[in-house]
Amino acid sequence: MKIYRPLSPFVLTQGFGENKACVDIETGKNVITCDGNNPPSGYRSLYGNDGHKGIDLIANHGQPVYCVADGTVSYIDTKEKSGLDVRVESQFDGVLHRHIYEHLMGYQPMVGDKIMCGDLIGWAGKTGYASGDHLHFQLEKRVGNTWVAIDPLPFMCTTFAPFVKLYPAIRAVLAGILEKWSDIFRRPR
């Protein structure tokens, strides 16, 4: 399985399984950075005992977010915790996976759309439980009837997703150039 980076620059602020965010117990809205395993008085871990189910990436308000793999948009919603999110389902080695893009301020595709790696998903924001603009990216694997969160970093290439769309065009241009050069060198002198 291979996925690509949804943002550039790619700066990780919270990794998979970490527990560094707490939410105000009384209001359920004020999110702070803390040790979620030992939250301060009046706060609880935002993620519970399992920790963070994805990765958080620095993003500017309105920064474009791109699809990490070919797939089909399966779900778009707004929830109190995740804010506006887009979910894309993809097959890797015959196993269904889902990549989720959360806290968006807006989105481009519609449910049912076929989407390619490097296509625009939406724009980063701070909807839902977010202390600031960022992208929460989550990768899940279908196991039976359940989605199981997995760490996306071991599967993520260092290539920025939109560049994947450029590779075939670049290869075609280079092939044309090489063909012309070889014609020049094949000519009798």
Side-chain angles (χ1 to χ4, degrees), residues 1 5 10 15 17 23-24 28 30 45 49 51 63 68-69 91 106-107 115 124 129 138 141 160 173 187:
M1 175 170 68
R5 292 181 172 185
F10 187 85
V23 63
D24 182 289
N30 185 29
S45 169
N49 294 333
Q63 181 175 348
V68 301
Q91 289 279 340
Y107 60 92
I115 192 163
Y129 289 175
Q138 188 165 321
K141 179 179 181 177
F160 181 37
V173 168
R187 290 185 192 145

Side-chain angles (χ1 to χ4, degrees), residues 163-173:
F163 293 168
V164 174
K165 295 176 93 171
L166 296 175
Y167 291 156
I170 292 169
R171 276 197 300 267
V173 168

Side-chain angles (χ1 to χ4, degrees), residues 12-21 34-37 45-56 153:
L12 186 71
T13 59
Q14 185 165 216
F16 183 83
E18 292 182 0
N19 203 345
K20 298 192 305 189
C34 72
D35 175 2
N37 297 316
S45 169
L46 183 60
Y47 310 114
N49 294 333
D50 295 334
H52 198 225
K53 294 188 182 336
I55 59 173
D56 285 344
L153 290 180

Side-chain angles (χ1 to χ4, degrees), residues 2-6 67-69 117 155-157 159-161 164 167:
K2 186 188 298 188
I3 59 175
Y4 297 88
R5 292 181 172 185
C67 189
V68 301
C117 181
F155 307 102
M156 193 170 283
C157 298
T159 304
F160 181 37
V164 174
Y167 291 156

Side-chain angles (χ1 to χ4, degrees), residues 47-150:
Y47 310 114
N49 294 333
D50 295 334
H52 198 225
K53 294 188 182 336
I55 59 173
D56 285 344
L57 303 168
I58 289 177
N60 293 319
H61 188 73
Q63 181 175 348
V65 174
Y66 297 94
C67 189
V68 301
D70 297 351
T72 302
V73 178
S74 61
Y75 195 73
I76 297 172
D77 78 346
T78 301
K79 291 185 179 174
E80 186 176 6
K81 185 175 178 181
S82 61
L84 177 59
D85 74 80
V86 174
R87 299 169 188 216
V88 178
E89 293 182 5
S90 302
Q91 289 279 340
F92 298 110
D93 302 321
V95 178
L96 190 60
H97 286 75
R98 178 166 71 179
H99 26 118
I100 304 170
Y101 309 81
E102 293 183 354
H103 306 298
L104 302 173
M105 64 176 281
Y107 60 92
Q108 177 70 28
M110 303 301 288
V111 171
D113 284 356
K114 301 284 185 214
I115 192 163
M116 305 295 289
C117 181
D119 286 350
L120 180 67
I121 288 285
W123 300 271
K126 58 179 178 179
T127 59
Y129 289 175
S131 58
D133 292 308
H134 74 285
L135 173 67
H136 170 88
F137 177 79
Q138 188 165 321
L139 182 63
E140 298 177 338
K141 179 179 181 177
R142 187 74 172 185
V143 178
N145 292 325
T146 306
W147 290 106
V148 177
I150 58 175

